[in-house]
Structures are given as C-alpha cells and as structure tokens.
C-alpha cells in the first residue's frame, strides 16, 4: 500500500475485523464495517484505474510471457465467462472479471466453461505452476482488474492448507494484503492460507491479472 494511504490503511487494519457472512459457494466474505468502507471509498475509486492503452510493456520475466499473452488474448475476445454472482460479491464495485480453470490432467468431473473456451490457456497456467512450484493444483482462479474485498476462501479447494498467488501485467500497486500485511505478488509467487487468513487486494493502477492456485 502506497505511503499516501498509510492513514487509511492503519484504520483499515484496526477495523476490518467484522463478522463473517456467507456469499455463496465460491467465497466466504467478511462484511466491511461502515467506517472502514468510508475510509477507503475515495482511495479505491481514485486509484483502481484500468489501463485502456493498446501499448503493453514487455518487462514480464520469460517464464510468464506465454501465460500473459494468452490472458490478454482471452480478454481481447468476447468469450470470457461471466463472473459468478458469489465471486462478484467480493469484488469492489463488482468491477473486473474472474473465472476458474481446472487442471485437465487431474480434475474430476465436468470441466468449467473457461476450459472449453481457452484450452491453451488452461494448459499454460498449470505448466507455469509446475515450473514455479514443482507441482500443479487441481484448479486456478483467473482474475483481471478485480480488487477483492476482505474474505476467506471456500468452495472448490476448500480444506487444503495453502493457496499460491502471482500477479501479471502492467500495473502499479495491487499488493495482496493478508491480515493487514501487504505482499508484492507481481511476478513473485506467494503461498498463503486462503482458507483461514483474511486477504484482499490493495488499490492499483493499470492492467492487473492474478492467478490463484
């Protein structure tokens, strides 16, 4: 979280401790206390700025470039699945997009719609995880320009102890905040317990993708 927002961030850390409430089958959310929402309203509305430029930088490390190109191609099409109601409930203002990819090599059951529409992306996402972590998960949440509110995870993958997130794209800010502590995840994979640790997205500017295995 950037320095100009330190006061609001401090207030958030002390106030984002509300009671949990169910938000459907994808996430278990945490209600934002009214005072905390007020503290962040101007910050979020001003600082979550999605890039509309057609010029994209190429500073992505080599191992991330294929996935980044496929992500951009997916969102350049008209085939991106609609974000589920439950997941949209934990995205600030309902803006941004999010869908799930299943690992076709290990997933049991009917594959998500995104797998059918973007099979090359699905393969690349789990190949990337193998290179980064030495193994591949059963599913991955794929997000674009979505600022998530404080929540803990549920639904697919519930019961496992570790999630891994990495950010991709041309953006500034956008740290993952875990129980009040910001972590830079841009091309820096980070493991955390998404099922017990409350986490959310810090304000950002630009084109922010994230993968959460």
């Amino acid at each position: 979280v950037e320095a100009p927002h330190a006061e609001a961030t401090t207030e958030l850390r002390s106030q984002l401790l509300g009671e949990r409430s169910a938000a459907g089958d994808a996430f278990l959310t945490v209600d934002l206390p009214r005072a905390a929402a007020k503290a962040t309203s101007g910050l979020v509305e001003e600082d979550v700025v999605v890039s509309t430029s057609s010029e994209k930088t190429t500073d992505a490390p080599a191992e991330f470039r294929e996935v980044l190109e496929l992500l951009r191609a997916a969102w350049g099409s008209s085939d991106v699945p609609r974000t589920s109601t439950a997941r949209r409930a934990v995205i600030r203002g309902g803006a941004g997009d999010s869908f799930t990819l299943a690992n076709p090599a290990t997933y049991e059951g009917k594959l998500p719609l995104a797998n059918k529409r973007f099979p090359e992306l699905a393969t690349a996402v789990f190949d990337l995880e193998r290179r980064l972590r030495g193994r591949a998960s059963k599913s991955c949440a794929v997000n674009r320009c979505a600022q998530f509110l404080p929540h803990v995870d549920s639904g697919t993958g519930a019961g496992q102890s570790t999630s891994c997130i990495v950010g991709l794209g041309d953006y500034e800010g956008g740290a993952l905040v875990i129980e009040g502590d910001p972590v830079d995840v841009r091309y820096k994979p980070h493991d955390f317990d998404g099922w017990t640790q409350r986490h959310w997205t810090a304000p950002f500017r630009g084109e922010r993708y994230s993968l959460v295995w």
Side-chain angles (χ1 to χ4, degrees), residues 21-32:
S21 63
D25 60 356
F27 286 98
L28 182 68
T29 67
V30 178
D31 290 332
L32 280 169

Side-chain angles (χ1 to χ4, degrees), residues 57-151:
T57 62
T58 57
D59 68 337
E63 63 266 35
F64 292 96
R65 290 175 189 168
E66 179 186 9
V67 170
L68 180 57
E69 289 176 1
L70 290 169
L71 287 168
R72 287 170 171 166
W75 264 275
S77 73
S78 58
D79 292 332
V80 174
R82 294 181 61 181
T83 305
S84 70
T85 300
R87 194 168 294 188
R88 191 166 294 283
V90 292
I91 296 176
R92 168 73 63 175
D97 298 292
S98 180
F99 61 78
T100 297
L101 287 172
N103 186 342
T106 59
Y107 193 81
E108 298 178 359
K110 184 179 179 180
L111 290 172
L113 179 60
N115 280 71
K116 298 177 182 179
R117 293 184 176 179
F118 308 118
E120 189 177 358
L121 174 62
T123 298
V125 161
F126 294 103
D127 284 347
L128 174 63
E129 185 188 14
R130 288 188 191 92
R131 292 195 296 273
L132 297 175
R133 308 178 72 201
R135 61 185 178 86
S137 303
K138 291 185 178 181
S139 63
C140 179
V142 181
N143 312 302
R144 180 183 183 273
C145 296
Q147 187 187 15
F148 284 91
L149 298 170
H151 68 281

Side-chain angles (χ1 to χ4, degrees), residues 1-13 39-40 42-44 46-48 173 202-205:
V1 178
E2 298 175 357
H5 309 314
E7 182 177 349
T9 303
T10 299
E11 184 174 355
L12 273 177
R13 289 180 179 179
T40 58
L43 176 155
V44 171
E46 292 176 3
D47 284 3
V48 178
F204 60 88
R205 292 178 181 271

